[in-house]
Amino acid sequence: MPELPEVETIRRTLIEHVKDLKIEGIKLIWPSAVCGWEDKAFEDLVTGRRIRTIDRRGKYLLIRLDEDLTLIAHMRMTGRLNYYPDLREPEKHTHVVFRLEHGEVHFSDVRKFGRIQAIPTPLCFSGSSLGKLGPEPLEADFTPAVLKDRFGKKKVFLKAALLDQTVLAGMGNIYVDESLFLAGLSPDRRVDTLSEEEFSKLHQAIQSVLQAGIDAQGTSFRDYRDANGEKGMFEEDLQVYGRGGKPCHVCGQTLERVRLAGRTTVYCARCQR
């Protein structure tokens, strides 16, 4: 699933091509991939509008159109937004084609979980799930104190708390495992047992790992590609994620692979006490 670094990379690579371009037409191959607003069809709302900019909130892309309309795109497990400079025959799993003044944007999704919702810009947060998201972990006002406050008095595992999008926006399985390894914290540690120093280490690890992921343009194990169809390179830097049963890069101990919070989790029992 694309997480914060992957979605941010898609945002950066897509805006380079589409800023200020008019959407001249839409081809809906699988209509359930999109959602209009009230009784207005998606294609009627969107056709003829210009793309002004693209923002990101957690794992969501916010494609800002003129006349106060926003497209909220969520990639879910296998969604992609690819830009093509010329007309392109849709691939097998392409569900929506946005025909622009110059080129096309194709929304594809093998597993059909991703969605693009059209919504009036003033209602973006009150009228969608965006309003429930926790803080952005790379913003300047996200501090160790804020992280501690978001955890509150929860008595759950760190892994579960960090996957909760209402606690912190944008984190997923990859970057949670990597952050906990860098912080030296076990994923089955209860959040209410952390010291002030450990909150500080975890905060720093989250920001460091996410920024490294962005710098490497994300992690491409299977489906993820940026808007140009390019893979991310962060896989080469992974310390624990996807490496269960292999030796720890730091201490050499075999990495543990367990199930926590409904997700496969990999960690080093020696480095993460």
Side-chain angles (χ1 to χ4, degrees), residues 66-77:
D66 58 9
E67 300 181 48
D68 272 344
L69 190 74
T70 293
L71 304 183
I72 301 176
H74 195 187
M75 304 296 105
R76 298 287 181 181
M77 297 293 292

Side-chain angles (χ1 to χ4, degrees), residues 141-153:
D141 57 0
F142 174 65
T143 64
V146 169
L147 178 61
K148 181 179 180 180
D149 181 67
R150 298 304 298 181
F151 281 163
K153 298 186 182 299

Side-chain angles (χ1 to χ4, degrees), residues 22-255:
K22 181 188 289 186
I23 300 172
E24 295 189 334
I26 294 175
K27 181 178 183 180
L28 293 182
I29 301 168
W30 188 57
S32 295
V34 301
C35 180
W37 178 252
E38 295 182 337
D39 60 345
K40 296 180 181 179
F42 182 88
E43 56 268 41
D44 294 337
L45 283 167
V46 174
T47 301
R49 298 183 191 250
R50 290 190 181 275
I51 300 171
R52 294 307 185 191
T53 191
I54 304 178
D55 299 321
R56 181 192 54 74
R57 182 72 173 96
K59 301 178 186 179
Y60 295 81
L61 282 179
L62 285 71
I63 304 171
R64 307 293 195 179
L65 308 183
D66 58 9
E67 300 181 48
D68 272 344
L69 190 74
T70 293
L71 304 183
I72 301 176
H74 195 187
M75 304 296 105
R76 298 287 181 181
M77 297 293 292
T78 57
R80 293 187 193 176
L81 280 168
N82 290 116
Y83 173 81
Y84 300 106
D86 46 23
L87 300 184
R88 182 69 61 96
E89 187 68 23
E91 298 178 353
K92 179 180 178 180
H93 299 291
T94 297
H95 304 315
V96 187
V97 175
F98 295 86
R99 183 167 52 83
L100 310 177
E101 287 178 298
H102 307 290
E104 295 181 338
V105 172
H106 291 203
F107 176 64
S108 61
D109 187 2
V110 173
R111 301 187 67 176
K112 291 188 173 181
F113 292 155
R115 293 292 184 273
I116 301 179
Q117 174 188 5
I119 187 171
T121 298
L123 301 179
C124 265
F125 293 94
S126 61
S128 75
S129 55
L130 294 179
K132 300 178 181 179
L133 295 178
E136 287 287 325
L138 292 178
E139 294 293 327
D141 57 0
F142 174 65
T143 64
V146 169
L147 178 61
K148 181 179 180 180
D149 181 67
R150 298 304 298 181
F151 281 163
K153 298 186 182 299
K154 294 180 184 292
K155 296 182 179 181
V156 298
F157 295 146
L158 274 170
K159 180 65 181 272
L162 290 173
L163 287 174
D164 185 345
Q165 299 302 295
T166 67
V167 171
L168 198 58
M171 299 283 283
N173 213 27
I174 298 172
Y175 297 96
V176 169
D177 278 7
E178 292 297 303
S179 296
L180 289 172
F181 176 80
L182 184 58
L185 296 170
S186 176
D188 61 359
R189 177 84 174 271
R190 269 182 25 182
V191 299
D192 60 329
T193 67
L194 266 61
S195 67
E196 296 293 334
E197 181 181 1
E198 288 170 328
F199 271 114
S200 181
K201 286 183 178 180
L202 179 57
H203 168 269
Q204 183 177 1
I206 289 170
Q207 291 196 322
S208 295
V209 166
L210 288 176
Q211 188 58 58
I214 292 172
D215 293 343
Q217 297 186 301
T219 306
S220 293
F221 273 111
R222 290 174 289 275
D223 299 283
Y224 163 71
R225 300 291 187 276
D226 67 17
N228 298 317
E230 300 294 329
K231 292 184 177 182
M233 301 301 293
F234 194 61
E235 180 181 357
E236 298 177 3
D237 299 320
L238 294 174
Q239 299 297 305
V240 289
Y241 181 83
R243 300 190 63 247
K246 297 180 180 180
C248 174
H249 288 318
V250 173
C251 71
Q253 178 158 313
T254 301
L255 296 175

